[in-house]
Amino acid sequence: MAKAAKEIGKMPDFKALSEMIVSKFTNYPEVSFADVAMKAAGANLNELAELLLDRETCLNRQVEMLMKLNKIDRALAKAAKSQQPDLLHYVLTYLKRTQKKEVIDHLVLKLPQALCLYQDYLKEEAPRHLLALYVQKDDFARQSLYYLKESESTPWNPFDNKDKVEGLLKAKMSLNKLKEYTTAQLAAETAELFSMCETLDGKPGFSDVDRTSIRCVYMWAVGHQEDNLAELIKKKFKLTEKAWCLWKIESYARNKLWHHLESLFRSKKILTSYMPFIEACARYGNESLCRSFIEKLTNPVEVVESLLLLKKPVEAANYAADKKLLVLLEKIHLRYRGNKEVAPVVTQILNATRKT
């Protein structure tokens, strides 16, 4: 009757009809309303089929039938709210197979659960399309991560350096919109550093330099006596006096520029402590210069520490004993107790000091 009425242009009361059908099957719990809805759809009564589907207790059958009725928006919405990942995956897979990307984008943007899973697919399948989704949704956080990851994965070579820098600058813009100004500044500085490094490619020893590190690039400039570049980095990246001084000490020592290190030591612009100079000389094997710096020390504890840096435990122990630094002497004894050559001598010095 409903089909005949529809065919002659008379709109049946589908709500009343669906309630009548439901009442007839109330005592038959084994009956699936999805099957009944399928019969209604087969008779071209889609409105009735939808109403009957609302009575279906099996969500999977309900969603499956909605897709057959081409009610993909309702099917996706129900799957997204179901908290059943497999069901949501099933619907999205169906949509990817049957719908254009623009249609899917429009549907998932309204449903966070569906959008999240769909984005996971796109990460591998179509990263550029994923970015378009982020832009469409004004998702600046994910835009920032996308640009940063893209920049990181772009190889360092003359053909791709421009893309690498552009990725960082785009990340900076997204981060600024998030009001993450500190991180945005870091991205901008990294982009600037990359641009600077591009001009240094091919220079001696630069191929091994970490281009993401201001410290490494600055130390390379100092070690290769690129004074103008070092000064430019210092000003452009607003290096603190302590930072550039420590990096310069390390670079001079690493590159055996001992005369430069001595000049820095004697200059007025030195750190309040001599220890960084001593540590650098000890680390890179210039004992004579190291001792000349030690002579300038006025703190007995620092003298002991410096002698230990030079791996002179007996000399350090004698000095500690002479200055009555018993606690420090005990630490030396503890540190070298496993050394068969050093331990007996330090033990003797310690025992003698305790008796005095």
Side-chain angles (χ1 to χ4, degrees):
M1 289 175 61
K3 182 178 179 182
K6 189 174 181 181
E7 286 175 351
I8 63 173
K10 189 176 180 181
M11 187 58 64
D13 186 350
F14 288 119
K15 186 175 182 181
L17 184 56
S18 68
E19 289 174 356
M20 183 185 72
I21 294 172
V22 169
S23 65
K24 286 191 175 184
F25 288 108
T26 301
N27 297 323
Y28 301 94
E30 70 277 6
V31 172
S32 167
F33 282 102
D35 292 336
V36 180
M38 190 178 295
K39 293 288 185 182
N44 199 28
L45 299 173
N46 289 356
E47 298 92 333
L48 177 60
E50 282 192 69
L51 290 169
L52 291 170
L53 272 178
D54 289 336
R55 301 287 186 158
E56 175 58 56
T57 56
C58 177
L59 185 60
N60 286 32
R61 293 294 312 278
Q62 198 177 44
V63 169
E64 183 181 343
M65 191 60 201
L66 282 169
M67 288 193 293
K68 288 181 179 178
L69 292 173
N70 202 32
K71 298 296 179 179
I72 53 176
D73 52 342
R74 287 192 63 195
L76 183 61
K78 284 184 178 291
K81 293 176 183 177
S82 70
Q83 297 185 341
Q84 296 181 31
D86 289 345
L87 182 59
L88 183 55
H89 171 74
Y90 170 73
V91 176
L92 283 173
T93 302
Y94 172 82
L95 293 178
K96 284 166 62 183
R97 191 174 64 250
T98 60
Q99 303 295 323
K100 293 181 179 180
K101 287 182 178 179
E102 293 78 8
V103 175
I104 303 174
D105 291 352
H106 177 72
L107 291 171
V108 298
L109 284 172
K110 304 173 186 176
L111 303 164
Q113 303 94 326
L115 178 62
C116 185
L117 185 57
Y118 185 55
Q119 286 173 345
D120 284 343
Y121 296 152
L122 293 179
K123 282 178 186 177
E124 298 297 330
E125 299 171 7
R128 281 289 171 185
H129 186 66
L130 177 62
L131 175 61
L133 267 181
Y134 293 157
V135 172
Q136 190 174 350
K137 196 171 171 57
D138 286 339
D139 190 340
F140 298 117
R142 286 189 170 87
Q143 284 180 52
S144 302
L145 291 172
Y146 178 91
Y147 290 130
L148 289 171
K149 185 177 180 181
E150 185 180 51
S151 178
E152 182 185 22
S153 61
T154 301
W156 184 273
N157 61 60
F159 305 104
D160 296 315
N161 289 345
K162 185 179 178 182
D163 293 337
K164 202 171 185 71
V165 171
E166 282 183 359
L168 287 166
L169 294 176
K170 288 176 181 177
K172 182 200 77 170
M173 292 173 63
S174 297
L175 288 163
N176 277 328
K177 288 176 181 176
L178 287 170
K179 298 184 179 180
E180 293 286 346
Y181 300 121
T182 303
T183 312
Q185 183 181 354
L186 182 60
E189 287 181 353
T190 306
E192 200 162 3
L193 186 63
F194 282 170
S195 297
M196 190 180 291
C197 289
E198 194 172 359
T199 66
L200 302 174
D201 273 330
K203 292 203 172 187
F206 193 74
S207 59
D208 297 326
V209 173
D210 180 1
R211 293 166 173 81
T212 64
S213 168
I214 296 172
R215 174 181 177 272
C216 291
V217 177
Y218 180 81
M219 286 179 59
W220 177 88
V222 170
H224 288 76
Q225 301 182 56
E226 296 270 0
D227 297 335
N228 291 336
L229 175 61
E231 193 63 26
L232 177 64
I233 293 171
K234 188 164 66 172
K235 290 179 179 178
K236 192 172 283 289
F237 298 106
K238 299 177 182 178
L239 302 183
T240 64
E241 186 170 318
K242 181 178 180 180
W244 69 254
C245 194
L246 286 172
W247 297 350
K248 188 171 277 192
I249 291 168
E250 177 77 13
S251 184
Y252 281 156
R254 181 185 293 177
N255 291 281
K256 312 298 182 186
L257 298 173
W258 304 117
H259 176 70
H260 290 74
L261 187 61
E262 283 186 90
S263 298
L264 181 62
F265 183 84
R266 294 193 185 100
S267 72
K268 293 179 180 179
K269 290 184 178 180
I270 64 170
L271 302 171
T272 54
S273 171
Y274 295 146
M275 289 305 293
F277 291 90
I278 293 167
E279 289 166 1
C281 288
R283 185 159 51 249
Y284 293 102
N286 192 332
E287 183 177 338
S288 62
L289 184 58
C290 187
R291 286 187 178 277
S292 72
F293 292 154
I294 292 173
E295 290 174 3
K296 304 290 184 181
L297 295 174
T298 56
N299 186 336
V301 174
E302 288 186 341
V303 174
V304 173
E305 290 174 351
S306 300
L307 291 171
L308 290 174
L309 287 172
L310 284 173
K311 299 180 181 178
K312 304 291 181 182
V314 174
E315 188 178 348
N318 278 317
Y319 183 88
D322 184 55
K323 298 296 182 180
K324 308 299 182 186
L325 301 173
L326 185 59
V327 173
L328 205 53
L329 186 54
E330 287 173 342
K331 287 182 179 179
I332 297 171
H333 178 262
L334 186 64
R335 180 173 171 180
Y336 286 92
R337 68 184 184 278
N339 189 311
K340 293 180 180 180
E341 294 181 3
V342 175
V345 182
V346 174
T347 301
Q348 187 178 359
I349 296 170
L350 177 61
N351 291 335
T353 305
R354 282 172 174 166
K355 291 177 182 178
T356 58

